[in-house]
Amino acid sequence: METAIQKIQAGIKNRQLPAPSSLKTSTSTLRGDQLSREQRAAVNQFYNRIRSIYGSKYKVTFPGDADERLSKLEWAGQVMNLTATDIERGIEKLKQRIVACEKDYQWPNVPLIAALCQPQPEDYGLPSLEQAWHEVQVNSYQVDRHQWSHPAVREAGKRTGWFDIMGCVDDYRRRTLKKQFDRHYRYLSRRVMDGQSLDDAPLLLESDQNQKQSLSEQLLAQQARQLEDEMKAMGINPAGGRAEYLKRMKGVLK
């Protein structure tokens, strides 16, 4: 006959979901000797912080050392490369969810808590994807005058194409551009979070972008390039956008 504690443990086990994987994580079960000293320290810190947060609930989830050790082996790949700052930041997010009575965090749920600890662009002063996309759309005509929230936003807009963004009026084309911006911005954000420079960030190859343009998109891009060449021939700076164009036309129409 199952005890009450065994029923609780079974319920917790069934609720656990795999955390989103990232470039620095692994979903494979790892042996302790496969981890460096720093990685073992990160795993131990992660579990120690969970233990201190949940107290008796942690003991119910992991009644013995063997249970905790097995969990560490299963989920080490998700936390082994976290820094102490990453873990503490994630624990603060966890506290907020516990206080808000979010049901998924009322008991120790290792993969979900590990996901909270994964660095996010917002943790490094980067705007969210939606905020960044809105910023480049609104300011595509004043690239040099706008005070950008982060250099990665401007660089992602540049790689997507200021002229394309500025001149886009079709919803389908706008969605396509947003997908392109998304790939560039996520890539550049990862570099920022890894402490790498944006100045020497290589361009994404077509295979990296994992999306080929349809024939209609290729035609639209070709038309945009032709119009850009015409503007340059007229002495209009395409990067200046609509404001530059109107300024030029005002002089011509006088």
Side-chain angles (χ1 to χ4, degrees), residues 123-211:
D123 299 329
Y124 289 79
L126 289 153
S128 67
L129 172 62
E130 290 300 327
Q131 291 170 332
W133 174 240
H134 176 74
E135 186 176 2
V136 299
Q137 288 185 100
V138 172
N139 297 287
S140 59
Y141 69 93
Q142 53 175 3
V143 176
D144 295 329
R145 295 195 303 273
H146 176 62
Q147 186 174 353
W148 294 93
S149 59
H150 195 280
V153 179
R154 174 172 178 162
E155 182 62 23
K158 176 183 177 182
R159 295 183 181 209
T160 305
W162 291 121
F163 188 78
D164 290 339
I165 297 172
M166 177 187 63
C168 181
V169 294
D170 178 76
D171 287 341
Y172 175 77
R173 179 58 177 161
R174 186 178 293 108
R175 289 194 297 270
T176 300
L177 286 172
K178 184 179 180 181
K179 289 180 182 179
Q180 294 174 2
F181 177 82
D182 185 353
R183 289 190 293 273
H184 290 301
Y185 186 60
R186 291 185 186 278
Y187 163 66
L188 294 169
S189 295
R190 285 197 298 268
R191 288 186 65 89
V192 172
M193 291 189 288
D194 290 341
Q196 297 177 300
S197 171
L198 297 179
D199 296 334
D200 56 355
L203 295 174
L204 289 175
L205 301 176
E206 181 66 29
S207 57
D208 295 327
Q209 296 185 32
N210 196 31
Q211 177 175 326

Side-chain angles (χ1 to χ4, degrees), residues 3-42:
T3 66
I5 290 180
Q6 288 173 329
K7 289 180 179 179
I8 292 173
Q9 291 173 347
I12 294 170
K13 183 177 180 181
N14 291 334
R15 284 208 315 270
Q16 288 185 337
L17 302 172
S21 61
S22 73
L23 295 178
K24 292 188 174 182
T25 63
S26 169
T27 55
S28 301
T29 301
L30 301 173
R31 301 192 311 271
D33 58 4
Q34 291 179 294
L35 306 180
S36 68
R37 182 166 57 182
E38 292 77 11
Q39 289 173 332
R40 285 196 298 273

